[in-house]
Amino acid sequence: MLSSRIARANSRDITIEVHLTKGFPQGGVLSALMWILVADGLLKAMNSGGYFAQGFADDFSALVAGKDLTIVCEVMQAALRKIEKWCVDHGLSVIIPLKLRWSSLRAKVP
């Protein structure tokens, strides 16, 4: 577990420091195992709830597909709310906007 650790983020002339009190250090021996144990519950909750979710290494992804962009956005927003609720229910915090990636793929129609 973490003890006496500080995370720093720098952007131009601004530096933010946070004292870390929970978790495992990135690259630690137990970090990958703990991620698997935690992520497995989230993946099961998402996939049994009608969403397509996968985890790889220390990342998590949720996929929504459809023809109507408005509906796709609504379904993805519901998925993000489900992820956030699961995390809160399990004592975890999630900062979705910092790592959110949006991809729009279109097939060519003959």
Side-chain angles (χ1 to χ4, degrees), residues 9 23 38 51 99 103:
V38 170
Y51 301 101
K99 292 189 77 175
S103 297

Side-chain angles (χ1 to χ4, degrees), residues 35-36 39-40 42-43 47 52-62:
W35 165 249
I36 290 167
D40 187 60
L42 177 56
L43 291 170
N47 288 322
F52 179 76
Q54 286 192 330
F56 179 76
D58 64 349
D59 288 322
F60 176 86
S61 65

